[in-house]
Amino acid sequence: QPQPQPQLQPQQSQQLRLDQSGRFAICNGTSEVLVFFVEQTDEEFRLHPGADQNFLAPSGSVDVRINRPGFLGFTSFRTRLARVRLEHQNFYNVTSSPGGGVSIAIV
């Protein structure tokens, strides 16, 4: 009997408040752990499938690198899936795309 798939939609937790300037939120809607690095703040966080994270940045947009964890958990150019610009006050959902990449959309 097949196991049910985990819920991979954004949880939009109560702590998530997007009505503040410089606030961003992102959800890992894939079936694997992803590593996110916010270039403007040098902040890195790892999200398990279905988990979300919110963060603050001093500007209205940030550049975020999305990677798979590589050898010993490190990231590199070889493990990079995408580099995207995010605009504040949005909730973003990252999903798997055909060919092994990721897609990102505002929820």
Side-chain angles (χ1 to χ4, degrees):
Q1 181 175 0
Q3 295 289 350
Q5 291 292 331
Q7 176 70 359
L8 300 178
Q9 295 297 318
Q11 297 172 3
Q12 298 189 12
S13 60
Q14 292 180 356
Q15 68 186 19
L16 182 60
R17 295 182 51 96
L18 297 176
D19 57 349
Q20 299 174 9
S21 180
R23 186 167 295 276
F24 301 80
I26 196 161
C27 176
N28 179 2
T30 71
S31 60
E32 62 185 313
V33 174
L34 295 178
V35 182
F36 298 85
F37 181 78
V38 182
E39 294 179 359
Q40 284 76 1
T41 62
D42 290 333
E43 179 182 3
E44 178 184 290
F45 51 91
R46 293 166 189 259
L47 293 179
H48 290 274
D52 60 56
Q53 173 82 25
N54 65 73
F55 59 94
L56 290 170
S59 63
S61 64
V62 293
D63 298 304
V64 176
R65 296 191 304 247
I66 304 170
N67 294 69
R68 285 187 178 101
F71 184 67
L72 298 176
F74 295 106
T75 62
S76 70
F77 186 74
R78 293 177 61 179
T79 64
R80 185 175 301 171
L81 297 169
R83 182 177 181 266
V84 294
R85 178 164 291 241
L86 305 182
E87 299 298 325
H88 72 122
Q89 298 178 330
N90 288 313
F91 190 97
Y92 294 90
N93 188 33
V94 178
T95 56
S96 300
S97 64
V102 292
S103 299
I104 187 163
I106 296 173
V107 178

